[in-house]
Amino acid sequence: MKLLFKQKFFSWFDSYDITDENGNIVYKIKGQLSWGHCLKIYDSAGNEVGMVKEKIISLLPKFFIYENGNQIGYVSKRLSLFKPVYDIDFKGWSVSGNIFEWNYCINALGGRTVAEISKKLFNFTDTYEIDVLDSADALYAVMFVVAVDAEKCSRNN
């Protein structure tokens, strides 16, 4: 299942549409006014299905991931010199990728690839392709990518 994660060009808050290969909206991400990032994830019917929220008082950026109001994990940046390293407590997943954070893989325990993420260059806004191998993992992969993107945004600001 291929999903396209595309930031909206004009948006006061972080706002994204996640579409399938045919351009149909699968998820909508809407930023909320708050201290730090607070990104709510809605399905195509408009139901809130998840949230990514930044921990405000933290040495390095840390983002909690919620499903149905319950915290189910987090992604945080670890201090490193040459390449980004993340501490992850989310479904037993890990990340491997390149130094620019444009292309990376989400891996489950045992090394199974959950999703491959690649940044599409030469676009006006950040655009990523998320290739999810099992559609049951699609929402979780989207929440994870949103958390990593929000961390990069926090670091750049």
Side-chain angles (χ1 to χ4, degrees), residues 99-131:
I99 194 166
F100 297 111
E101 301 172 88
W102 290 348
N103 301 296
Y104 58 95
C105 289
I106 301 171
N107 305 301
L109 290 174
R112 176 182 68 88
T113 300
V114 174
E116 296 176 348
I117 293 80
S118 58
K119 184 171 184 173
K120 299 299 174 197
L121 301 176
F122 309 113
N123 287 296
F124 288 111
T125 61
D126 284 345
T127 303
Y128 297 90
E129 183 177 278
I130 306 168
D131 189 3

Side-chain angles (χ1 to χ4, degrees), residues 28 43-44 57 71 78 82 129 146-147:
K28 282 188 164 288
D43 64 14
S44 59
I57 301 174
Q71 182 187 330
R78 191 181 326 157
F82 298 109
E129 183 177 278
V146 167

Side-chain angles (χ1 to χ4, degrees), residues 80-95:
S80 62
L81 295 176
F82 298 109
K83 71 176 194 170
V85 178
Y86 296 96
D87 283 326
I88 302 161
D89 181 9
F90 185 63
K91 298 181 69 64
W93 290 359
S94 64
V95 171

